[in-house]
Amino acid sequence: MLEVKNLVTSFGSVVALDGVSFTAQESKITTVIGANGAGKSTLLRTISGLEHATSGSITWSGKSVIGMRAEDIVRGGIAHVPEGHAVISELSVEENISMGSLFRRRKFKADVTAAQDEVFELFPRLKERRKQLAGTLSGGERQMLAISRALVSRPKLLLLDEPSLGLAPLVVEQIIDSINILCRTTGLTVLLVEQNANTALGVADHGVLLSLGKVVADRPAAELRADANLRAAYLGY
Amino acid sequence: MDTFLAALFSGTSRGAIYALVALGLVIVWRGAGILNYAQMGQAMFSTYIASTMITNGNSYWLAFVVAIVVGAVMGVLLDILVMRPLSNKKKTELLSSESMRAAIPVIASLGILGVLQALAGIIWAAEERGFPAPYAQEGFTVAGNVMPFTSFDVFVITVVLTTLALTTLFFKKTGVGLAMRATALNSEVARLSGIRTNFTRSLSWAFSGAASSLAGLLITPTSNLSPNTLDLVLIIGFTAAVVGGLDSPAGAVIGGFLVGMVISFVSFYGSPEDVFLAILAVLLLVLIIRPRGILGAKDARRV
């Protein structure tokens, strides 16, 4: 279980997260929705160690991750796919994927290969393009690659930041479906940040609505989806 | 024809050394975003250590290896003791502007160059001294003619090409090489992949230190050794790196050989005094026609 309590993250005098508390249940998809600037990305970046929390606590399976380096948090089983199809365009598809499992290559040699085969099975298009530079991929393929890179680190918790950003609806559906299957079949815990609330709430078990750095709703996804007032007030549709 | 061959051979062996210097600069630039002006100061220092060892009766090869190791260690120390603390201070008031943040490590590296040169002057005296070559520096004799190509040139070219080949293999085929490339290209994604970027960055400094020390060992037999002799080599290496594209290791190598050829042909057909002018002309020409260098990425920062 991921437990976030009274989390505050600020940049100078700008408070991006203003006392955020919520929990994400294991083997479930929890989505964090909210308008632009609500603090969604900052939340993920603080959990993965890219930003430092000003105060508050973050624990995963009972262990605090506050103060840990991003590279050690990944090694502890929390993988983050940041916003904007974060792959390295100058490296090949294969290199981008094996990058994610470099730290496991000595201890778990066989499993590293197995993990690679699994992501190729999940996204066959990447297998076809394994020798190509990541920069030559389409937006959707790049997002698949970024997710694959995270998956080969064998995470227990996957942090996904706006996987739908800039992608065609059909591709979004495909990616969201893959995440859903992964969660249901392997027991992966997912924390999904989305601006596209409808899509996110459609697949998630639980929803957290952020506004200006504060949690304004924390409920089962279906309930949140049905609440017309909240939608109108915070999501604008 | 003889002059042409002589220029070609000399250009190849000189160019090989400049390629090494440029590669050292490019690897730290890519890995840490710093132009390391102290690089040839480190090389000068480790070459002096080799020189002292040889004077004290140690074998050339032992001194050779020690100098390269010292170069690598100096690179790591520079990173850990100077550059890393400087970049960790990013968020202080002084370093709040982007341009200051970029300038401060460069100024620090210039300071270190000064310190190393002064130290070398104090320890070894500031006068020029010779540095031995492991192989003869007399030209080969073919059919009674002395060719403008020496056994030492063959040694230089072999060592440099082997180093370049091994470096390429290391970066392309090993996990650590991939981690170093990833760190250089996008350190945030690298960290999120579990790569310890502080470590890989230090490795870049070690590699650069070792490569430039090797360059120092290979160039001083023909240029002599003093605290300042390698200043010009740094400028030439820097030109080579910019010509090739500052963010491209392959470009650095091409730039090195290209600049080596230009220098060699100018000094054989013109006069050695024109060499400096020729280097600047090449630099200007590249900056005007193709500011990103031969193999540089499109959005590379201009320097």
Side-chain angles (χ1 to χ4, degrees):
Chain A
M1 190 170 70
L2 175 76
E3 231 177 333
V4 175
K5 261 190 206 151
N6 297 320
L7 187 65
V8 177
T9 303
S10 42
F11 305 100
S13 56
V14 182
V15 181
L17 295 179
D18 192 2
V20 170
S21 303
F22 71 93
T23 56
Q25 298 300 327
E26 238 152 280
S27 307
K28 299 271 189 253
I29 301 180
T30 303
T31 184
V32 178
I33 52 175
N36 230 342
K40 306 185 301 290
S41 291
T42 307
L43 174 64
L44 290 197
R45 293 175 66 86
T46 311
I47 297 172
S48 72
L50 290 176
E51 308 291 352
H52 297 292
T54 314
S55 65
S57 71
I58 303 169
T59 54
W60 166 247
S61 307
K63 275 184 252 163
S64 170
V65 299
I66 293 275
M68 278 171 75
R69 292 171 185 280
E71 48 269 48
D72 294 323
I73 290 177
V74 190
R75 290 167 188 240
I78 302 180
H80 180 190
V81 182
E83 203 174 357
H85 320 153
V87 298
I88 299 184
S89 352
E90 295 90 341
L91 297 180
S92 73
V93 168
E94 220 167 25
E95 285 172 331
N96 267 285
I97 293 175
S98 55
M99 192 168 76
S101 54
L102 277 179
F103 70 91
R104 308 177 74 241
R105 74 185 189 284
R106 290 218 179 82
K107 274 191 191 157
F108 309 100
K109 206 173 171 196
D111 187 59
V112 163
T113 323
Q116 213 167 63
D117 293 342
E118 280 167 34
V119 297
F120 280 144
E121 205 173 307
L122 191 64
F123 302 119
R125 259 200 285 175
L126 295 180
K127 190 174 187 177
E128 288 163 30
R129 293 166 197 244
R130 57 199 295 171
K131 299 284 177 202
Q132 261 173 258
L133 291 185
T136 64
L137 299 182
S138 72
E141 289 162 348
R142 255 186 265 186
Q143 188 61 57
M144 293 172 194
L145 182 55
I147 294 171
S148 302
R149 193 214 72 228
L151 287 178
V152 293
S153 70
R154 289 279 193 226
K156 300 278 182 293
L157 170 63
L158 183 65
L159 311 173
L160 280 174
D161 198 349
E162 303 249 10
S164 74
L165 196 73
L167 300 183
L170 210 67
V171 183
V172 173
E173 199 178 311
Q174 194 186 344
I175 288 177
I176 297 287
D177 279 351
S178 318
I179 299 299
N180 199 9
I181 292 168
L182 263 175
C183 173
R184 307 306 165 200
T185 57
T186 66
L188 181 71
T189 309
V190 179
L191 187 60
L192 171 68
V193 155
E194 263 300 337
Q195 217 172 329
N196 188 343
N198 215 11
T199 312
L201 289 173
V203 70
D205 301 287
H206 200 83
V208 175
L209 177 59
L210 272 190
S211 174
L212 300 173
K214 286 185 160 70
V215 175
V216 290
D218 180 354
R219 291 188 221 162
E223 220 177 275
L224 209 54
R225 202 179 183 196
D227 191 328
N229 290 337
L230 268 184
R231 262 195 349 227
Y234 294 101
L235 302 164
Y237 70 92
Chain B
M1 192 60 195
D2 276 358
T3 322
F4 179 80
L5 278 181
L8 190 68
F9 289 143
S10 144
T12 312
S13 92
R14 278 305 178 104
I17 297 173
Y18 301 142
L20 217 49
V21 176
L23 188 64
L25 286 167
V26 164
I27 281 176
V28 163
W29 167 252
R30 274 168 42 114
I34 294 170
L35 279 177
N36 181 19
Y37 285 95
Q39 183 177 295
M40 293 321 282
Q42 297 160 246
M44 174 271 298
F45 212 84
S46 52
T47 311
Y48 261 113
I49 289 173
S51 164
T52 309
M53 285 181 68
I54 294 168
T55 321
N56 290 338
N58 291 295
S59 87
Y60 175 87
W61 298 111
L62 179 66
F64 186 86
V65 172
V66 168
I68 290 172
V69 172
V70 167
V73 171
M74 280 172 85
V76 173
L77 289 179
L78 193 57
D79 180 35
I80 294 177
L81 299 179
V82 182
M83 299 307 178
R84 202 182 293 170
L86 275 179
S87 71
N88 286 346
K89 284 209 176 100
K90 257 180 190 167
K91 277 158 194 154
T92 60
E93 291 288 311
L94 175 69
L95 296 174
S96 59
S97 86
E98 185 68 37
S99 55
M100 280 298 275
R101 248 183 275 157
I104 280 175
V106 174
I107 296 166
S109 78
L110 278 170
I112 286 156
L113 175 64
V115 170
L116 286 175
Q117 290 183 336
L119 264 181
I122 293 167
I123 302 173
W124 293 292
E127 68 216 22
E128 282 208 349
R129 57 163 91 176
F131 188 78
Y135 294 102
Q137 284 187 273
E138 283 84 46
F140 290 116
T141 310
V142 178
N145 294 323
V146 178
M147 297 301 286
F149 205 55
T150 69
S151 321
F152 182 60
D153 285 332
V154 176
F155 172 69
V156 168
I157 293 170
T158 315
V159 166
V160 174
L161 291 183
T162 312
T163 307
L164 294 179
L166 289 178
T167 309
T168 311
L169 278 179
F170 171 76
F171 277 114
K172 290 269 177 207
K173 299 286 175 199
T174 70
V176 181
L178 176 60
M180 286 175 74
R181 276 190 296 152
T183 308
L185 293 164
N186 189 334
S187 71
E188 189 171 291
V189 172
R191 291 179 65 202
L192 289 179
S193 307
I195 293 168
R196 299 213 156 102
T197 51
N198 275 344
F199 174 74
T200 48
R201 213 166 271 142
S202 288
L203 270 186
S204 304
W205 283 91
F207 179 87
S208 159
S212 44
S213 287
L214 177 59
L217 292 167
L218 296 179
I219 204 150
T220 37
T222 46
S223 75
N224 288 337
L225 180 60
S226 84
N228 297 309
T229 31
L230 296 179
D231 289 358
L232 184 63
V233 180
L234 177 76
I235 295 172
I236 298 171
F238 181 63
T239 306
V242 172
V243 166
L246 205 46
D247 55 357
S248 159
V253 173
I254 296 172
F257 279 102
L258 200 75
V259 170
M261 284 299 168
V262 169
I263 291 173
S264 173
F265 275 89
V266 167
S267 56
F268 272 90
Y269 283 96
S271 72
E273 290 90 68
D274 297 336
V275 163
F276 207 67
L277 201 65
I279 300 169
L280 290 177
V282 170
L283 186 59
L284 261 179
L285 212 66
V286 169
L287 286 179
I288 291 168
I289 300 171
R290 203 177 161 87
R292 61 186 160 110
I294 298 169
L295 293 182
K298 239 179 209 147
D299 54 348
R301 263 184 276 182
R302 292 186 191 179
V303 182

